[in-house]
Amino acid sequence: MSTVAQPSDQKTFEEEQKQQHEITHNRLVQRLLGSGANLPAFMAELARTQAAVVAGTEAVAFVIEPSPEGSALKLVQHIRNDNAARDVRVAAQNAFKQIIQPCVEQGKDGAIQVGEDSDPDGQQYCLVTLLRNESAVVAVSAVICRCRNEDLAAQRLQAMQLVAGYFDLYTLRRSHEQSKSVAKSHQDVLQLASSLANAEGFQQGGAALCNELAGRTGATRVSIGWIKGLFRGRDIVLQAISHTEEFDKKQELSVQLVRTMEECYDQEEIVQFDPAGRSTENTTREAAKLSQMEGGTRVVSLPLRQDQEIRGVVTLEFPKERPSTTQETTTLAVAAELLAPQLKDRYDNDRWLITKSILSGRDLTGKIIGPQYMLGKLIAICGLALIVFLFIPGLADHNVTAPFTLEPITKSIVSTPIEGKIETVHVLPGAEVAEGDPLLTFDTRQLRDQQFAAEKQAASLRAQAAEAEAEGRIAQSRAYIQRADASEAEARLLKRKIENATLRAPQAGVVLTGDYRDRRGDVVQAYQQMFVIAQGEKSNLHAVLEVDERDIQDVEIGMTGQLATRGEPGKKFTFEVKDIIEQPAAMEGASRYRVEAKIVDDPGTNWYTGQQGQAKVDAGDATYAWVLTHRLIDFIRIKLWI
């Protein structure tokens, strides 16, 4: 810990300031220009320097961290010139926080007196300076020093502010370093893209990219493998190695490179093996074997993705004495993201030309020689017959398919007439109730207390009215009577609310909604819907179809169809369309119309409200070609406006 300079009685403040200025400049600039400077380290050095400049006896430095409760002060340096115990130092740090927090909240520096005025050595002040980055307070420092008066304390605070001005140099340097790092990464990626763009074909582009990557990253070898195969599995094929025009794919090194790439491809993430111990946490077995083969190199494999699918893998080998850096990681990640689509385009273009030539030659040969010619004619005849069959009208049935839900035709909604707290729940969804059965009871204790108080107040007012009338105070007696009438009216209203505190079933039926088992004690607003009750007869059910907006124009009232529930898919029941609700509802990204249908067949006793299934409406005859293609044709017509 640094020792803070004590105040000098022989030197004035101005002399101390001049002598410390050069020390301040040299120490801070040396710290800023050093490698690895960060905010906590800078704040620690700043606190030491400010304490020396103003001859402080104690100093602290905090950085400000965001927290859910607001800004939090994190201690990075505490300087004392004694060997105080830990509890004393903690108490001093908490005292500093109490002094500093108001300055942070107000966004102002300050010189705050913290000692007694009668101290013979001078008054004790806490000098607080705030450090900002883009108008936001990011750190704060404070120094305790003794000053003869407030003017001298203000002068020393100005000296601390002058030292704190070096924070601007710190932020500018860090910003410059970040901008330079980003610019370097972008420049490297642009050079890689340029080398790939100037190459002809996929093979040459892969080789150019390997060479450019090796030159820019300092890798001893860069290799690219590409995913090939569609029907017999997808394998990685080694395509290019840096500074190598020809290589044997069966030699040991090539085989090990492919295994290393397959390890990255199987895990679908970056794989790095570093003999120094900075490997990734995933499996690096094959990368370790490759490193051992090449004398302990650092091996990094990155997947090349396009549209979230891995198209290939690039593997880089670095000397073991070259550790990984942030710039290298950023450059490789950006390059893998931007260059993979370009490689994929080149691969597709190359493959498309070859495939097209092979297919064209095979078709031409089949037409000229061999039995393929007769087979072609047979296929053409069968195709023509299929076309005729598809376009014969009346062979296909046009059915509009839609999901349905069984709902009651008539149902009652029970709402609460008062605001109250749930006390007792009498029924649950699915229960059968008779007319007048209790459904739910509200807590009436408060209402009863209020009723009792209103009745008591009315009786008291009437007694006062009688007394006033007996004494000849007629006007006051009438006033008491009016107030008593109001209290009695309030008591009657409360009595009516108490009578309505129990919700009852308006009709016999089945409770559809209203599960309040876990809501006892909750407050319910007046006129809020509480229960839905439907008649319990099976004849009270009808099917509600959700017809897509693309098919609603084919559905008309009076059409018939069949439906089946999910519970009994083998049983089909006939229905008739009775009504079409013209107001659509948005469901799953499309508009659906409600179509109400009456069930003609007797469903028996196995149907219940809320059951779902699939329904088909018979919308007339059509051709098979129209049934198979009308969706696509409608899509093209709406997109091309034809």
Side-chain angles (χ1 to χ4, degrees):
M1 179 182 300
S2 301
T3 302
V4 181
Q6 298 292 335
S8 174
D9 296 334
Q10 291 76 19
K11 296 181 181 180
T12 65
F13 172 73
E14 291 78 5
E15 292 174 347
E16 294 175 357
Q17 184 178 15
K18 290 179 181 179
Q19 291 182 2
Q20 294 295 338
H21 178 72
E22 184 175 356
I23 297 174
T24 303
H25 180 273
N26 292 338
R27 293 178 67 182
L28 278 178
V29 171
Q30 181 180 4
R31 178 66 183 175
L32 287 173
L33 297 181
S35 61
N38 52 34
L39 182 58
F42 175 83
M43 288 303 301
E45 185 68 20
L46 178 67
R48 296 189 188 96
T49 307
Q50 285 181 328
V53 168
V54 300
T57 59
E58 188 173 359
V60 292
F62 295 94
V63 294
I64 298 178
E65 295 183 340
S67 65
E69 295 79 14
S71 300
L73 298 175
K74 179 182 179 181
L75 181 68
V76 296
Q77 185 69 11
H78 182 200
I79 304 172
R80 288 178 64 99
N81 58 355
D82 58 4
N83 296 324
R86 175 178 176 80
D87 56 344
V88 176
R89 298 181 68 88
V90 172
Q93 294 166 9
N94 293 332
F96 270 115
K97 288 183 178 180
Q98 294 179 358
I99 297 173
I100 291 173
Q101 191 64 43
C103 296
V104 174
E105 294 175 355
Q106 300 175 15
K108 296 181 180 180
D109 299 347
I112 303 162
Q113 183 177 351
V114 296
E116 297 292 338
D117 295 342
S118 59
D119 197 319
D121 295 335
Q123 300 175 9
Q124 199 172 31
Y125 289 87
C126 179
L127 309 180
V128 181
T129 55
L130 306 180
L131 279 73
R132 294 174 172 83
N133 183 20
E134 297 181 356
S135 301
V137 180
V138 296
V140 59
S141 62
V143 177
I144 299 293
C145 66
R146 296 188 181 276
C147 301
R148 292 187 298 273
N149 51 52
E150 293 184 1
D151 294 338
L152 184 57
Q155 293 178 6
R156 294 196 174 185
L157 177 62
Q158 292 178 359
M160 286 182 58
Q161 292 172 339
L162 178 63
V163 176
Y166 284 95
F167 182 71
D168 294 335
L169 177 60
Y170 167 79
T171 56
L172 288 174
R173 177 179 179 272
R174 302 302 295 175
S175 177
H176 173 69
E177 290 178 350
Q178 294 176 358
S179 300
K180 185 167 66 174
S181 176
V182 172
K184 180 66 169 60
S185 299
H186 290 180
Q187 182 182 5
D188 291 342
V189 174
L190 288 175
Q191 291 293 338
L192 293 171
S194 177
S195 66
L196 181 58
N198 294 331
E200 296 182 0
F202 173 74
Q203 198 69 33
Q204 185 177 351
L209 180 59
C210 288
N211 294 336
E212 192 68 24
L213 270 174
R216 294 201 163 270
T217 61
T220 57
R221 180 168 45 235
V222 179
S223 310
I224 289 181
W226 203 252
I227 310 298
K228 292 188 177 182
L230 293 176
F231 305 107
R232 298 182 179 177
R234 299 175 62 83
D235 300 324
I236 293 182
V237 178
L238 187 62
Q239 296 292 326
I241 301 177
S242 60
H243 310 297
T244 304
E245 294 184 0
E246 296 183 0
F247 55 88
D248 185 2
K249 296 182 180 181
K250 295 183 180 181
Q251 64 180 1
E252 184 179 1
L253 176 60
S254 300
V255 173
Q256 187 58 44
L257 283 172
V258 171
R259 291 176 178 173
T260 304
M261 294 175 181
E262 289 175 346
E263 185 176 57
C264 174
Y265 173 66
D266 292 338
Q267 300 180 80
E268 298 183 355
E269 59 183 4
I270 298 176
V271 175
Q272 173 176 285
F273 174 77
D274 190 348
R278 292 184 291 269
S279 304
T280 53
E281 296 181 357
N282 48 15
T283 303
T284 58
R285 186 181 301 107
E286 298 300 333
K289 292 181 180 179
L290 178 61
S291 173
Q292 186 178 5
M293 288 176 56
E294 299 301 313
T297 58
R298 178 167 59 90
V299 180
V300 181
S301 297
L302 298 93
L304 300 173
R305 286 186 174 89
Q306 185 198 31
D307 299 331
Q308 304 301 322
E309 183 178 353
I310 298 179
R311 306 294 184 177
V313 177
V314 57
T315 298
L316 300 93
E317 302 171 55
F318 296 93
K320 58 183 177 181
E321 62 272 5
R322 179 185 175 90
S324 61
T325 61
T326 303
Q327 180 178 345
E328 173 193 296
T329 304
T330 303
T331 301
L332 292 177
V334 175
E337 289 291 333
L338 296 181
L339 298 178
Q342 298 184 40
L343 285 172
K344 178 63 170 58
D345 290 341
R346 288 179 174 272
Y347 175 75
D348 289 343
N349 291 334
D350 291 353
R351 184 187 181 208
W352 172 255
L353 293 175
I354 297 174
T355 305
K356 183 178 179 180
S357 300
I358 295 175
L359 293 177
S360 298
R362 188 185 64 182
D363 293 341
L364 181 60
T365 303
K367 293 178 181 179
I368 296 176
I369 60 173
Q372 292 83 359
Y373 184 72
M374 297 301 296
L375 179 61
K377 291 195 298 182
L378 179 60
I379 293 175
I381 294 173
C382 293
L384 181 60
L386 178 61
I387 292 174
V388 173
F389 173 77
L390 290 175
F391 283 92
I392 295 178
L395 293 181
D397 295 330
H398 175 36
N399 294 322
V400 175
T401 304
F404 76 89
T405 304
L406 294 178
E407 295 184 2
I409 300 175
T410 58
K411 55 187 176 182
S412 300
I413 297 176
V414 181
S415 301
T416 172
I418 63 172
E419 177 182 344
K421 185 184 297 183
I422 298 175
E423 182 179 48
T424 305
V425 179
H426 300 286
V427 296
L428 298 176
E432 295 185 0
V433 295
E435 182 178 355
D437 284 353
L439 304 176
L440 182 143
T441 301
F442 291 103
D443 186 0
T444 60
R445 288 175 292 182
Q446 185 176 2
L447 293 176
R448 295 183 186 277
D449 292 342
Q450 293 175 358
Q451 180 189 7
F452 176 76
E455 292 174 348
K456 183 178 179 181
Q457 184 179 10
S460 176
L461 290 172
R462 291 203 180 277
Q464 294 178 17
E467 182 181 351
E469 183 178 4
E471 294 176 356
R473 294 180 283 119
I474 304 302
Q476 190 171 5
S477 175
R478 291 177 180 176
Y480 283 137
I481 291 174
Q482 290 178 353
R483 291 173 58 188
D485 292 342
S487 296
E488 289 176 351
E490 182 181 0
R492 289 192 298 271
L493 177 61
L494 291 170
K495 181 179 180 182
R496 193 176 303 112
K497 288 184 177 180
I498 293 172
E499 293 173 352
N500 294 332
T502 298
L503 302 183
R504 299 184 180 276
Q507 65 176 25
V510 179
V511 179
L512 299 183
T513 62
D515 187 357
Y516 301 99
R517 287 175 294 182
D518 300 329
R519 295 189 56 185
R520 290 185 176 89
D522 289 359
V523 177
V524 178
Q525 301 298 325
Y527 308 111
Q528 180 175 333
Q529 176 180 319
M530 302 295 291
F531 296 93
V532 176
I533 300 176
Q535 293 182 3
E537 294 82 1
K538 302 300 180 180
S539 59
N540 187 41
L541 297 177
H542 68 163
V544 178
L545 284 64
E546 297 174 0
V547 181
D548 194 279
E549 60 182 345
R550 297 175 298 180
D551 298 323
I552 192 62
Q553 69 275 5
D554 298 330
V555 180
E556 298 178 359
I557 296 176
M559 286 184 173
T560 60
Q562 288 188 322
L563 57 81
T565 62
R566 294 179 180 175
E568 296 179 324
K571 295 183 179 180
K572 308 296 188 295
F573 298 88
T574 304
F575 66 85
E576 180 183 355
V577 176
K578 288 298 183 181
D579 193 11
I580 299 175
I581 309 302
E582 296 184 358
Q583 184 175 1
M587 297 180 182
E588 300 180 357
S591 296
R592 303 268 181 103
Y593 288 80
R594 285 173 56 92
V595 176
E596 297 180 355
K598 177 184 177 182
I599 302 172
V600 178
D601 298 335
D602 182 10
T605 61
N606 295 329
W607 280 10
Y608 300 94
T609 300
Q611 279 188 295
Q612 297 179 339
Q614 198 77 4
K616 288 186 177 182
V617 181
D618 185 4
D621 297 333
T623 64
Y624 279 107
W626 184 88
V627 171
L628 296 175
T629 62
H630 75 280
R631 293 283 193 203
L632 177 61
I633 293 175
D634 291 343
F635 175 79
I636 295 174
R637 293 182 64 181
I638 197 65
K639 290 298 182 181
L640 301 181
W641 203 250
I642 56 176

